[in-house]
């Protein structure tokens, strides 16, 4: 049986002259026993008709994001989840640029954003367009995001130019895809497998309260919304979720195991207790860095004539750094260890401080957010962030513009899942 047999391949076709070759590729994939679904951009339909691809793939072809009929069949999110591999052939310069910048302005780009499986593309364009610094920059960004680029090939082009830019022949793409599958034998079983199925995600959320006396405490403005959004999305992605929550006024998301804590020390105990069976640990809580050195047994009283009061604070443990350090030791000992994701709440030099925290706290990834921007960060329903993670010997980053916290949470989780799958080497999902 061919290594591609039974695989769910979503073939994306964008608008270039090489689009006609997608028909041959579809035939090769079908002959190998793949289940092929096709998504075409508007431009692609100028070069080859959806009807041709429908006849060859044996499935309805998807062309529009806002097609109620198609959505009533297999909706775009369902289609994105269904795909084990997204193969785009041809991938034009414009499509590469849109994907490199995280756009979701048509069906194909939206499917790519909503999918966390294996991503492969075969670029095809005029040689000058391929050589352009912008395309080269986009190609590097896409590779760093997890895309595998096949080609382009060199030679004579449809426009008469000669050089690198033409799409690899369908047979070469097919053979490279087969090799990719062979290299990644533990492919997730075909079917609607959610990307976080079988994983346990532990998330800290909300503020901590550091008691001064029985009625007063030191705290901060965290509402818990970001952490709870992460918990909600992690459940939607199929994970088992444990939420270690500081005091907040939010309902527990359905299906989530919630552990309520008050102080940083309580949060640390709960976090360390979760280490053993966590695959991903996300520290989103705004943990107080200091706590009163002593908690008065009785309510503190004003003294007559007292204009000032001095409180001695003592340093709280750095919870996420401790978790990351344990995880690192386990990894070194060849034991299972969680992927550790921290947050950095900054008001200036955001990326610079976040890079420092990523390295100093030995995190696998950090979510840097500027908490000085009105309407974002603490307490609001929206947020913007830059994700930073280790990629080979450098630090890669992905900026996510202001969006609802739920949408940001999904992006954070998809990136974390990619890093987790890569770390544990469990199959093509590691490609992203
Ligand atoms: O709760 P919301 O109102 O929705 O607001 C969301 C948020 C702004 C709180 C969230 O997006 C965020 O930025 N959370 C991290 C807040 C924070 O404490 O950042 P920090 O840069 O001070 O800490 C860096 C990392 O170390 C964080 O992962 C933090 O959880 C962790 N930490 C910090 C101190 C400490 N003693 N122990 C820790 O584990």
């Amino acid at each position: 049986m061919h290594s591609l047999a039974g695989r769910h391949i979503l073939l994306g076709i964008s608008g270039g002259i090489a689009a006609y070759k997608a028909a041959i590729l579809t035939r090769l994939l079908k002959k190998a026993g793949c289940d092929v679904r096709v998504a075409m951009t508007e431009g692609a339909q100028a070069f080859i008709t959806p009807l041709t691809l429908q006849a060859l793939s044996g499935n309805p072809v998807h062309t529009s994001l806002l097609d109620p009929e198609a959505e009533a069949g297999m909706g775009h999110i369902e289609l994105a989840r269904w795909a084990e591999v997204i193969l785009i052939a041809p991938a034009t310069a414009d499509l590469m640029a849109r994907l490199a910048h995280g756009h979701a302005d048509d069906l194909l780009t939206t499917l790519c954003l909503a999918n966390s499986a294996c991503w492969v593309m075969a670029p095809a364009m005029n040689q000058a367009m391929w050589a352009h610094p912008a395309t080269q920059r986009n190609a590097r960004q896409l590779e760093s995001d997890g895309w595998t680029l096949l080609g382009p090939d060199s030679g004579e082009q449809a426009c008469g130019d000669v050089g690198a830019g033409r799409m690899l022949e369908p047979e070469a793409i097919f053979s490279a895809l087969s090799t990719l599958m062979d290299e990644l034998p533990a492919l997730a079983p075909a079917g609607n497998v959610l990307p976080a199925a079988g994983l346990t995600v532990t998330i800290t959320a909300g503020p901590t309260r550091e008691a001064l006396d029985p009625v007063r405490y030191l705290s901060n403005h965290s509402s818990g919304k970001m952490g709870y959004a992460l918990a909600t999305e992690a459940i939607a992605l199929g994970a088992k979720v444990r939420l270690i929550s500081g005091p907040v006024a939010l309902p527990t998301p359905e299906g989530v195991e919630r552990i309520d804590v008050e102080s940083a020390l309580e949060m640390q105990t709960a976090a360390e207790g979760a280490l053993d069976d966590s695959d991903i640990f996300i520290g989103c809580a705004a943990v107080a860095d200091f706590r009163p050195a002593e908690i008065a047994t009785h309510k503190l009283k004003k003294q007559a004539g007292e204009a000032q009061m001095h409180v001695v604070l003592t340093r709280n443990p750095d919870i996420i750094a401790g978790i990351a350090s344990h995880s690192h030791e386990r990894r070194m000992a060849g034991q299972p260890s969680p992927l550790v994701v921290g947050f950095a709440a900054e008001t200036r030099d955001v990326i610079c401080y976040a890079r420092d925290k990523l390295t100093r706290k030995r995190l696998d990834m950090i979510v840097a957010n500027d908490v000085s921007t009105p309407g974002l960060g603490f307490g609001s329903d929206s947020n913007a962030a830059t994700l930073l993670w280790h990629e080979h010997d450098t630090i890669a980053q992905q900026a996510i513009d202001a969006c609802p916290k739920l949408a940001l949470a999904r992006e954070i989780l998809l990136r974390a899942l990619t890093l987790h799958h890569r770390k544990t080497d469990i199959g093509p999902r590691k490609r992203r």
Side-chain angles (χ1 to χ4, degrees), residues 24-368:
I24 307 167
L25 189 53
T26 307
R27 274 199 57 202
L28 291 170
L29 293 168
K30 284 297 286 182
K31 259 180 86 176
C34 298
D35 193 349
V36 183
R37 306 236 165 203
V38 179
M40 299 174 77
T41 64
E42 208 180 319
Q45 296 166 59
F47 292 93
I48 185 166
T49 67
L51 198 58
T52 306
L53 276 312
Q54 180 174 317
L56 291 170
S57 68
N59 283 313
V61 170
H62 303 260
T63 55
S64 165
L65 190 55
L66 305 171
D67 176 355
E69 213 173 284
E71 289 293 304
M74 191 187 265
H76 67 278
I77 293 295
E78 214 179 320
L79 184 58
R81 285 180 182 156
W82 170 89
E84 290 176 279
V85 178
I86 293 188
L87 167 64
I88 303 184
T92 60
D94 175 66
L95 184 76
M96 288 176 70
R98 287 189 288 133
L99 287 173
H101 290 88
H103 288 209
D105 48 3
D106 65 4
L107 176 68
L108 185 51
T109 48
T110 303
L111 290 170
C112 292
L113 269 194
N115 173 277
S116 58
C118 178
W119 302 339
V120 184
M121 66 165 67
M125 66 201 74
N126 165 268
Q127 54 83 24
M129 291 170 79
W130 172 251
H132 195 284
T135 308
Q136 289 302 307
R137 198 168 54 238
N138 292 335
R140 282 195 300 276
Q141 179 62 52
L142 289 165
E143 281 180 326
S144 135
D145 287 350
W147 282 90
T148 298
L149 268 58
L150 305 177
D153 210 351
S154 283
E156 197 171 330
Q157 302 200 291
C159 56
D161 279 7
V162 177
R166 51 185 267 178
M167 190 173 90
L168 283 184
E169 289 305 322
E171 292 77 8
I173 296 173
F174 175 78
S175 134
L177 190 69
S178 308
T179 311
L180 210 60
M181 291 306 198
D182 288 342
E183 276 174 13
L184 305 165
L187 186 69
N192 284 335
V193 179
L194 291 171
L199 300 181
T200 300
V201 179
T202 298
I203 299 161
T204 67
T208 61
R209 280 183 186 168
E210 310 299 332
L212 271 162
D213 68 13
V215 297
R216 301 182 181 93
Y217 55 80
L218 303 177
S219 190
N220 57 64
H221 292 293
S222 172
S223 63
K225 286 180 183 174
M226 190 66 240
Y228 276 58
L230 283 162
T232 305
E233 285 300 309
I235 286 282
L237 290 168
K240 178 171 173 251
V241 179
R242 182 187 295 114
L243 182 60
I244 301 172
S245 177
V248 298
L250 297 172
T252 310
E254 188 141 351
V256 166
E257 179 202 346
R258 172 167 159 179
I259 301 169
D260 285 313
V261 296
E262 291 251 337
S263 66
L265 291 179
E266 286 175 20
M267 189 170 274
Q268 182 192 34
T269 305
E272 289 180 352
L275 185 65
D276 272 346
D277 70 340
S278 295
D279 297 290
I280 297 178
F281 185 99
I282 306 179
C284 180
V287 184
D289 286 321
F290 291 90
R291 65 178 186 278
E294 280 178 27
I295 306 174
T297 322
H298 297 287
K299 186 180 170 194
L300 292 166
K301 292 286 184 198
K302 302 184 284 290
Q303 305 299 326
E306 190 180 49
Q308 290 185 334
M309 178 185 180
H310 293 271
V311 178
V312 178
L313 300 178
T314 191
R315 188 78 179 254
N316 265 331
D318 190 319
I319 300 170
I320 195 98
I323 295 290
S325 164
H326 287 312
S327 177
H328 195 73
E329 280 163 21
R330 289 181 183 206
R331 216 170 286 173
M332 291 295 110
Q335 293 164 354
S337 58
L339 181 100
V340 183
V341 179
F343 270 68
E346 308 293 345
T347 54
R348 65 187 165 101
D349 299 330
V350 178
I351 302 300
C352 186
Y353 283 125
R355 286 174 77 99
D356 171 61
K357 282 179 183 168
L358 175 71
T359 314
R360 188 164 40 82
K361 299 193 184 208
R362 301 175 96 181
L363 307 174
D364 294 300
M365 173 175 143
I366 196 156
V367 181

Side-chain angles (χ1 to χ4, degrees), residues 346-348 350 368-380 382-385 402:
E346 308 293 345
T347 54
R348 65 187 165 101
V350 178
N369 50 179
D370 184 341
V371 289
S372 66
T373 314
L376 302 179
F378 283 104
S380 62
S382 298
N383 206 1

